[in-house]
Amino acid sequence: MTAGVHFDRTEAYAPVPSWTTIKLQLALTARHRLGLRAFDCTAAYLQAELKNPLYVRPPKGLMAELGHNHNDIWKLSKALYGYAPSGRLWWDKVSAWLKTYGFKPLGNSGTFMMLDNRNDADPSKRGIILLNLYSDDGLASIDNSELWDKFMKDFKSSFAVLEKDPDYFLGCAIEWDAESGVISIDASKYLREVISKFDMIGAHPSPLPAPAGTKIYMNETWNGDEKFRNLYQQYCGCINYAALLRPELSYYASQVCRVMSCPTLENLQTAQNILKYAIGSMDEKITFRPTDSSDPHGQSNGELMVFTDSDWATSMDTRRSHGCYIVMMSGGCVAHRSKAHKSVMLSSAAAEYYEASEGCRELTYIRGILEDFYGSTLPPTPMYIDNEACIAMGKTPVLSERQKH
């Protein structure tokens, strides 16, 4: 089937949660000592009804064996795996059911929902359920097991659902200590699969993702092997996904991904060195803690904060700056990004100001979710910037030349 011919492209789009909302859910779970639950919707796409007629040809010889004309075809009544709009049909059905049940999206996130019964008079129904639904996988945070049992009973009456332990989600392990309330996200299993895929199990660990001073340049006259480029792109894709849960890899992932169309042997060696670093730092995790627990790093666990930073014109190809931000909550990272700026900055202050604005955009999205969760306006969120000129521009209500970007 061809998009634009047999179905509209918008019919094939189904929203899924980002790692930001998943980590934010885990941060809230740890902060308020909520419980974790998980479930899987069995054969999810087969539970969604079709909106338009769909016909398929059965396997050759099957209809004759069943006593029917061998030219007969089937008309489907349910969606099928392999049919592009199936994901959207499933999401429309399950999200409509959840909203009817009382779930409401938090902030501008369409997939991060909450059932808010905190004011219910019945103690067995009083509480909240936070829910992230990724296609057929669900991750929930609860504060009342009776409320959860009732919800699952009603949910199972409409869908085929299998409850499971909340120890693995989207390729990464979730370690939850119910007694202490500490939650960690561990990407080591995924990294081991990647290292095994590229036959690097016996590689010597590297102390850094890349040697100090490493520069990656675009090769405009590239005329390499297509198989080599495909291999390099596989490295980049695996590193890029690992960087979602390993913030220290984000900068290096963005660098190696810049030359995916024209990689060199030196670029491949840099990508391999990043995985060698992952071998030696396999135990690194993102950890969220309750507000009343002790943090070995001395951070304020419950405080939402953001850090931003930027270099200036370090790209030798485009002279664009490279900026990054990281948003912390409950002692762990809930959002981060490392990316080249979209335009050339004329000063270091302008580069820092640009990245600060990007951090504010991410913060606005997160604060919208948190304000819906708490039902009130949050106090100001501290932002940490290491450039005095940028801080001065932020405090001065006057538009200057350096702020036009």
Side-chain angles (χ1 to χ4, degrees), residues 201-264:
I201 295 177
H204 184 71
S206 172
L208 295 172
T214 300
K215 298 289 184 182
I216 295 181
Y217 303 94
M218 296 289 291
N219 186 359
E220 297 181 357
T221 60
W222 185 84
N223 191 23
D225 181 35
E226 188 64 33
K227 290 184 178 179
F228 175 79
R229 176 161 61 182
N230 181 266
L231 175 64
Y232 181 79
Q233 290 173 346
Q234 292 181 47
Y235 271 91
C236 290
C238 294
I239 294 171
N240 210 23
Y241 187 80
L244 294 173
L245 297 176
R246 295 289 298 273
E248 78 276 20
L249 299 180
S250 296
Y251 172 78
Y252 303 97
S254 66
Q255 291 297 302
V256 295
C257 289
R258 289 178 57 241
V259 294
M260 283 199 300
S261 62
C262 52
T264 63

Side-chain angles (χ1 to χ4, degrees), residues 358-372:
E358 292 296 306
C360 283
R361 291 173 60 188
E362 184 71 43
L363 191 60
T364 300
Y365 171 74
I366 292 174
R367 283 175 60 91
I369 293 176
L370 293 177
E371 287 178 352
D372 280 358

Side-chain angles (χ1 to χ4, degrees), residues 349 352 385-394:
E352 294 275 4
I385 307 169
D386 63 353
N387 185 280
E388 292 187 3
C390 175
I391 295 173
M393 285 191 291

Side-chain angles (χ1 to χ4, degrees), residues 171-193:
C172 297
I174 297 177
E175 300 175 358
W176 171 49
D177 188 336
E179 183 177 350
S180 66
V182 175
I183 298 176
S184 297
I185 308 176
D186 184 5
S188 61
K189 184 177 184 297
Y190 171 75
L191 287 170
R192 288 190 178 92
E193 292 173 354

Side-chain angles (χ1 to χ4, degrees), residues 140-154:
S141 304
I142 66 170
D143 63 352
N144 185 339
S145 58
E146 291 186 57
L147 176 62
W148 171 254
D149 291 340
K150 182 181 184 305
F151 163 71
M152 285 307 299
K153 180 180 179 181
D154 296 336

Side-chain angles (χ1 to χ4, degrees), residues 273-292:
N273 197 84
I274 296 173
L275 293 183
K276 290 179 181 178
Y277 167 79
I279 293 175
S281 59
M282 198 68 71
D283 295 332
E284 295 291 331
K285 306 171 185 177
I286 296 177
T287 302
F288 304 104
R289 295 178 172 84
T291 54
D292 57 353

